[in-house]
Amino acid sequence: MSKIAGQRLFGTDGIRGTAGLFPLDDTTVAIIGRSLVLNLSIELGRSPNIVIGRDTRESGEQIELALAAGAISGGATVQSAGVITTPGIAYITRATSFDAGIVISASHNPYQDNGIKVFSPSGRKLADELERKIEADVGTAPGQNITFHQGGLQKEQEQAYQKSYINYLVGDVGAGLNLAGLKLAVDCANGAASGIAPELFARFGANVEVLSAEPNGRNINEACGSLHQEGLQRAVVERGLDLGIAFDGDADRALFVDAGGSLVDGDATLLVLADYIKKRGKLAGDLVVATVMSNIGLEIALRERAIELVRAQVGDRYVLEELLARDAKLGGEQSGHIIFPDISLAGDGMITAIELLRAIIDSGRSLGDLAAQMTRFPQVLVNVRVRSKPPLDTLPDVTAAIEQVERELQGRGRLLVRYSGTENLARVMIEGEDQIKVKEQANMISDVIRKAIGE
């Protein structure tokens, strides 16, 4: 383990890294668990009760054991929910009155990675102030002087928690939804949705074709799920299905495929949902929150419906902050991470699918027909792996390349260059009228970044 005082561990979606290496080595994970509990104990005035869930990565159980050991050493009572989705833990934390819910997952990342994210009982992620305290403890705590209790992790309720979450989705969120006669494919990404999604949609009466629901610890997100929709697209077309749903590894996001095999991303999903909610008179303020990555086509389509698009920074926590600040009812990301604050403060791919299916059924129209209401501007996104993340305006060549492209766009497109909050990547996104031109521009900026700070 390598510890540096003051080192930032938390990104926009918790802590992520390679399993077994700092900060996801056993000692550091245990320190994180102990620090979380001790800080919560100060806030609560008592020892906290915590629930932990994980996705299907082979490293998940070991990280859970280390995290629980540290938390128990700090005085916490710790329950395991086993393999369950990230929003499933957010629900269990809220519904069962836990003081915190912890998810061990790296979402859409490959199996070698893992992560830790923490939810409060409200469903919100850990406050920045508490994150800084935990980081300080990791940077200063001498692990060899901490005695970690082995054992004590309670696992008796794992199946009960999963059933409780499914019952909530069916009985509360999906109340009255009837999918009888609907033929759909569900791609579980060999992740946390594998034990939940097939049963969920079958209980609504749908005829469900299940894809990638046989996790082996290493096949999570591998050529499947929301990152790789090709298999789902083929299945929908070849089997004559009505639509397909693709989840990521921890099922906090969902993307869709229409009957013709076309991808329906988070932007198109937001449009369909916003239109549906507004027609029912429930879109408070007539606004939707998205991010700077959402296609300008979404903004135009919403404007045509007298709906304002408010853009937040990339990251669901920033979308949520904007939603709560404006008392808005719908927000999300192009990646398929959608938030309905009146239902849950955590993005939930299952809830997104339920609400979209309700809009489809109530409208009497197909998904393809509804999604076609948005005209998408050509968009190119290029990721550049970097060795460090200095402020972009401190890199003269990069700044000059960005300024050149902005002049070329002349207000008829959008350019966004930013660092990933969860990986060592610089992302270059350009939208414009000409696909070939914006691709050339994105590659030019990416090459300059690669020369300056690429691995």
Side-chain angles (χ1 to χ4, degrees), residues 54-75:
R54 63 184 189 275
D55 67 20
T56 58
R57 295 163 206 273
E58 63 180 11
S59 59
E61 192 166 5
Q62 179 61 34
I63 293 174
E64 180 183 41
L65 290 172
L67 191 61
I72 291 167
S73 78

Side-chain angles (χ1 to χ4, degrees), residues 275 279 359-370 373:
D275 195 27
K279 287 177 179 176
I360 292 169
I361 297 298
D362 287 358
S363 72
R365 301 167 67 182
S366 69
L367 174 58
D369 188 22
L370 292 170
Q373 297 175 102

Side-chain angles (χ1 to χ4, degrees), residues 8-16 131-132 135 317 421-422:
R8 292 292 296 267
L9 303 179
F10 288 88
T12 56
D13 201 21
I15 296 172
R16 288 218 190 146
E131 289 181 353
R132 301 293 85 78
E135 288 168 347
R317 68 186 302 166
T422 59

Side-chain angles (χ1 to χ4, degrees), residues 40 44 46-51 93 97-101 118-121:
L40 286 177
L44 298 169
R46 58 173 172 79
S47 297
N49 297 313
I50 291 174
V51 62
T93 304
S97 300
F98 283 102
D99 298 304
V118 185
F119 289 97
S120 71

Side-chain angles (χ1 to χ4, degrees), residues 169-204:
L169 292 172
V170 174
D172 290 26
V173 179
L177 179 62
N178 184 354
L179 302 181
L182 188 74
K183 297 178 293 182
L184 60 87
V186 178
D187 185 335
C188 300
N190 291 314
S194 300
I196 295 174
E199 178 181 344
L200 173 66
F201 296 107
R203 285 180 61 177
F204 286 121

Side-chain angles (χ1 to χ4, degrees), residues 190-376:
N190 291 314
S194 300
I196 295 174
E199 178 181 344
L200 173 66
F201 296 107
R203 285 180 61 177
F204 286 121
N207 182 349
V208 182
E209 298 267 355
V210 181
L211 306 178
S212 303
E214 298 179 354
N216 62 17
R218 294 192 171 195
N219 61 357
I220 187 170
N221 300 314
E222 184 180 25
C224 60
S226 62
L227 285 183
H228 306 281
Q229 306 93 11
E230 300 84 3
L232 179 62
Q233 290 172 301
R234 285 194 301 270
V236 169
V237 173
E238 291 174 359
R239 302 175 192 179
L241 307 181
D242 295 306
L243 61 95
I245 307 170
F247 298 103
D248 65 336
D250 66 339
D252 62 354
R253 65 180 71 178
L255 295 178
F256 303 89
V257 171
D258 68 21
S262 296
L263 176 65
V264 177
D265 69 3
D267 284 348
T269 300
L270 280 173
L271 176 63
V272 174
L273 290 168
D275 195 27
Y276 175 67
I277 296 171
K278 180 173 181 177
K279 287 177 179 176
R280 297 169 63 208
K282 296 185 178 181
L283 191 66
D286 286 339
L287 67 86
V288 170
V289 178
T291 76
V292 292
M293 294 298 291
S294 282
N295 194 278
I296 196 172
L298 172 61
E299 188 170 349
I300 294 169
L302 289 173
R303 188 184 307 134
E304 291 171 349
R305 291 159 176 77
I307 300 173
E308 178 187 1
L309 178 66
V310 176
R311 293 184 184 270
Q313 296 181 57
V314 173
D316 63 289
R317 68 186 302 166
Y318 302 116
V319 172
L320 179 59
E321 287 174 3
E322 201 69 46
L323 283 167
L324 296 178
R326 295 173 178 267
D327 194 27
K329 304 303 181 185
L330 177 66
E333 300 184 271
Q334 193 179 60
S335 63
H337 199 140
I338 311 295
I339 302 175
F340 306 85
D342 286 350
I343 303 176
S344 172
L345 298 185
D348 188 329
M350 306 291 172
I351 293 177
T352 300
I354 289 170
E355 293 301 305
L356 183 64
L357 288 166
R358 192 190 303 278
I360 292 169
I361 297 298
D362 287 358
S363 72
R365 301 167 67 182
S366 69
L367 174 58
D369 188 22
L370 292 170
Q373 297 175 102
M374 174 181 150
T375 300
R376 186 178 308 278

